Amino acid sequence: MASSKIFLIFFLAALIATPVVVAQLGGLLGGLLAPINVDGVLFCSINGKIDVLNGATTPIFPNASVQLRCGAGNVVSSTTTNGSGAFSLVLNPVQNILSSLLSNCNIVVTTPLSTCNASLPSAGVLQSPLQIVGRTAGGLVNLATGVFQLIPQLN
Ligand SMILES: *[C@@H]1O[C@H](CO)[C@@H](O)[C@H](O)[C@H]1NC(C)=O
Ligand SMILES: *[C@@H]1O[C@H](CO)[C@@H](O)[C@H](O)[C@H]1NC(C)=O
Ligand SMILES: *[C@@H]1O[C@H](CO)[C@@H](O)[C@H](O)[C@H]1NC(C)=O
């Protein structure tokens, strides 16, 4: 506790003393505070991905409820796929630490697959972990889903 106070005092002193440090800190915080974006296109298949069956490509999955769930299944954010099967979630980097998003969170599709194709299961939810796909010049972190798996209904 005492050492962290001393550190803070030195830190503040350094801030006051050198504009260079202030600029560096601004850059660091800017990097840490850049929004995190999760984008994807959901397809109407058991792994949520595009597939080619008998020469026909998998249709997209529109109007599907997409949730970001973390830890024991807390819904952190949610959206719906649009008419092209696309979804996008913009996450607050203060509340959503990148490393825990990657290790502790999943994208879960709660609309049954049978909604988009009656031959597919009506039970269970599609679930995929997140993976990092890149960072834009502006510092925005882009995440995407991996391969979805059909798992038993949550909750
Ligand atoms: C998706 O939802 C919109 C608005 O509720 C509706 O008009 C549209 O028909 C739905 N599309 C499909 C493919 O279910
Ligand atoms: C769905 O969202 C994607 C990505 O934002 C966009 O390119 C596409 O035009 C949208 N489709 C519809 C039907 O709104
Ligand atoms: C619906 O799902 C079945 C079983 O996977 C598949 O054979 C069929 O091609 C799908 N239909 C469409 C229109 O994708």
Side-chain angles (χ1 to χ4, degrees), residues 82-84 86:
N82 72 8
S84 309

Side-chain angles (χ1 to χ4, degrees), residues 44 53-54 57-59 116-120:
C44 184
L53 288 171
N54 310 319
T57 53
T58 317
C116 63
N117 179 342
S119 310
L120 294 176

